[in-house]
Amino acid sequence: MNKRLVAIAALFPFLALTGCAASAPAPKPSFATVAPATPTATPSTDVTPAADGIVDTVYVQVFPAKTSTAKHGCRCTLPDSNQELFPMGTPVIFVKFTMTGEWKPSQGNQTYQDVTGTTLKGTQFDGRPEPAVLDTADGPAAAKAAGLAWLPSGLFHGKSTWTIPNDKERSFAAAWYLPPGVDRLLLTMNVPSEGQPLHLTVPLPTSAADAANVSGE
């Protein structure tokens, strides 16, 4: 009997430990904290210019935009004619331009390009003998509404020297009355410092060509 009691007593520490192990809460699993993924912005696709080009150090892009209806006539006539060339109601094409300075090694540390006196004189529509006529009545307001300067001179507010930075765009707008039956603008941009004018053939948007064709019917 004594031997049995001694044996049972010897088992108590083991039973106590087993009971504790059975009643102890299960260890909580450990989870590694994963930081949420940072969304990567997808670069927006730039609008492709209808035409672009460079003579030397000024890169030009041309973006024909909306077509509207003239609220005022041009008050201009062809030689030997009393009829207004572009009366009120004529379609007008609004065009955005960008100019970007392009550095060349011979310029050293120069960070800008001189575009003093830049004009669009000599621009005309393909198939038409007369120069393209700017809508100076409504065009400036349309440019302002679009957040753009009107013509190159509008970028510089009367400054005697016009400069644009290298690798940065400067934008302005122009708007021309659309003659009937045209579908291309023959652009002439003359930047005097470039040495010669830049000539670009600019296809008109379908909406502009359609409007010109309707006006010619």
Side-chain angles (χ1 to χ4, degrees), residues 27 48 52 60 118 152 160:
T48 303
D52 64 326
V60 176
T118 297
S160 58

Short mmCIF file of all heavy atoms in Angstrom, two decimals, residues 27 48 52 60 118 152 160:
data_model
loop_
_atom_site.label_atom_id
_atom_site.label_comp_id
_atom_site.label_asym_id
_atom_site.label_seq_id
_atom_site.Cartn_x
_atom_site.Cartn_y
_atom_site.Cartn_z
N PRO A 27 -0.66 29.45 -28.57
CA PRO A 27 0.05 30.68 -28.99
C PRO A 27 -0.58 31.26 -30.24
O PRO A 27 -0.99 30.55 -31.14
CB PRO A 27 1.48 30.19 -29.25
CG PRO A 27 1.34 28.73 -29.51
CD PRO A 27 0.20 28.26 -28.66
N THR A 48 -0.95 63.80 -79.83
CA THR A 48 0.02 63.84 -80.93
C THR A 48 -0.20 65.09 -81.77
O THR A 48 -1.32 65.37 -82.19
CB THR A 48 -0.13 62.60 -81.83
OG1 THR A 48 0.03 61.43 -81.03
CG2 THR A 48 0.90 62.61 -82.94
N ASP A 52 4.91 68.92 -86.71
CA ASP A 52 5.95 69.46 -85.85
C ASP A 52 7.24 69.57 -86.66
O ASP A 52 7.40 68.92 -87.69
CB ASP A 52 6.16 68.60 -84.61
CG ASP A 52 6.66 67.19 -84.95
OD1 ASP A 52 6.26 66.66 -86.01
OD2 ASP A 52 7.45 66.62 -84.18
N VAL A 60 8.87 73.24 -82.75
CA VAL A 60 7.49 73.72 -82.85
C VAL A 60 6.54 72.53 -83.03
O VAL A 60 6.80 71.63 -83.82
CB VAL A 60 7.34 74.69 -84.03
CG1 VAL A 60 5.88 75.13 -84.19
CG2 VAL A 60 8.25 75.90 -83.84
N THR A 118 8.93 86.62 -83.55
CA THR A 118 8.32 85.48 -84.22
C THR A 118 6.95 85.86 -84.79
O THR A 118 6.13 86.48 -84.11
CB THR A 118 8.15 84.30 -83.24
OG1 THR A 118 9.45 83.88 -82.80
CG2 THR A 118 7.44 83.13 -83.89
N PRO A 152 2.31 84.70 -81.00
CA PRO A 152 3.57 84.66 -80.26
C PRO A 152 3.81 85.91 -79.40
O PRO A 152 4.30 85.83 -78.29
CB PRO A 152 4.62 84.55 -81.37
CG PRO A 152 3.91 83.93 -82.52
CD PRO A 152 2.51 84.45 -82.45
N SER A 160 10.82 93.74 -75.16
CA SER A 160 11.60 93.94 -76.38
C SER A 160 12.37 92.69 -76.79
O SER A 160 12.67 92.50 -77.97
CB SER A 160 12.59 95.11 -76.18
OG SER A 160 13.45 94.84 -75.08
#
